[in-house]
Amino acid sequence: MTVQVFRLPDLGEGLTDAVVVEYLVAVGDTVAVDETVALVETAKASVDVPCPYAGVVTALHGTLGESLDVGSPLVSV
């Protein structure tokens, strides 16, 4: 089994980080490609973050309220 680590993508407009507001999946959930897995908040907006991978969630990285830098692990599938 290959684990894919989905990293917080560049959300545009020069933003370098985002705060994890909510995870919409839990460890053990099955996700589809482009399914929204988290809601994050930047200095400008709340953003739904879709996952580019399909599979079973094996880890959630970062805690609610934590600020993650762009490129930091968000979800492992």
Side-chain angles (χ1 to χ4, degrees):
M1 173 177 77
T2 301
V3 174
Q4 298 288 335
V5 177
F6 173 48
R7 298 179 181 280
L8 181 65
D10 181 348
L11 301 169
E13 301 184 26
L15 299 170
T16 59
D17 65 332
V19 174
V20 179
V21 174
E22 180 180 9
Y23 281 107
L24 304 175
V25 295
V27 172
D29 288 354
T30 300
V31 295
V33 171
D34 292 332
E35 181 176 339
T36 300
V37 294
L39 175 64
V40 299
E41 188 172 275
T42 69
K44 300 190 182 235
S46 292
V47 180
D48 291 336
V49 182
C51 185
Y53 309 116
V56 176
V57 175
T58 59
L60 302 176
H61 305 281
T63 58
L64 298 183
E66 181 178 1
S67 179
L68 296 177
D69 291 332
V70 168
S72 296
L74 184 63
V75 176
S76 292
V77 178

